[in-house]
Amino acid sequence: MENIRNIVPKPDMTLHIIFSDGVEGIFDVRPYLADEAFEALKEPEEFMKLHNGGYFVEWECGADLSADTLRARMKILSHAV
């Protein structure tokens, strides 16, 4: 399993992600905001407070997503070389 090398939250509630193997993509968090665990992320300042745990991303409110989920459901921008 590849880990998250870099992850940047964007104002449009997406995450720009680069994995350790160079695969790059955009993950849309908006569909998750209806879930109670992600509700705090509707506030833009809370959405920006994330931590890259390598194999997961976690927000201060306790919401998290695994690297596997991010990779499986992101829109790929570039493949590994």
Side-chain angles (χ1 to χ4, degrees):
M1 173 171 72
E2 299 298 329
N3 67 348
I4 303 165
R5 180 172 51 188
N6 190 31
I7 188 163
V8 178
K10 300 293 187 177
D12 65 354
M13 301 295 184
T14 63
L15 302 172
H16 179 257
I17 307 163
I18 301 174
F19 282 88
S20 59
D21 65 356
V23 172
E24 179 179 1
I26 299 291
F27 183 90
D28 189 353
V29 179
R30 289 174 292 192
Y32 293 81
L33 298 179
D35 188 301
E36 185 177 340
F38 291 86
E39 194 168 336
L41 302 183
K42 291 178 182 176
E43 296 299 324
E45 60 276 1
E46 290 301 314
F47 182 74
M48 299 304 232
K49 298 176 185 175
L50 62 76
H51 166 72
N52 178 0
Y55 294 103
F56 64 92
V57 61
E58 181 177 34
W59 285 268
E60 282 189 4
C61 67
D64 65 4
L65 291 165
S66 71
D68 287 342
T69 298
L70 295 171
R71 187 158 181 145
R73 298 185 180 163
M74 73 180 189
K75 177 183 175 188
I76 295 177
L77 301 176
S78 67
H79 293 277
V81 290

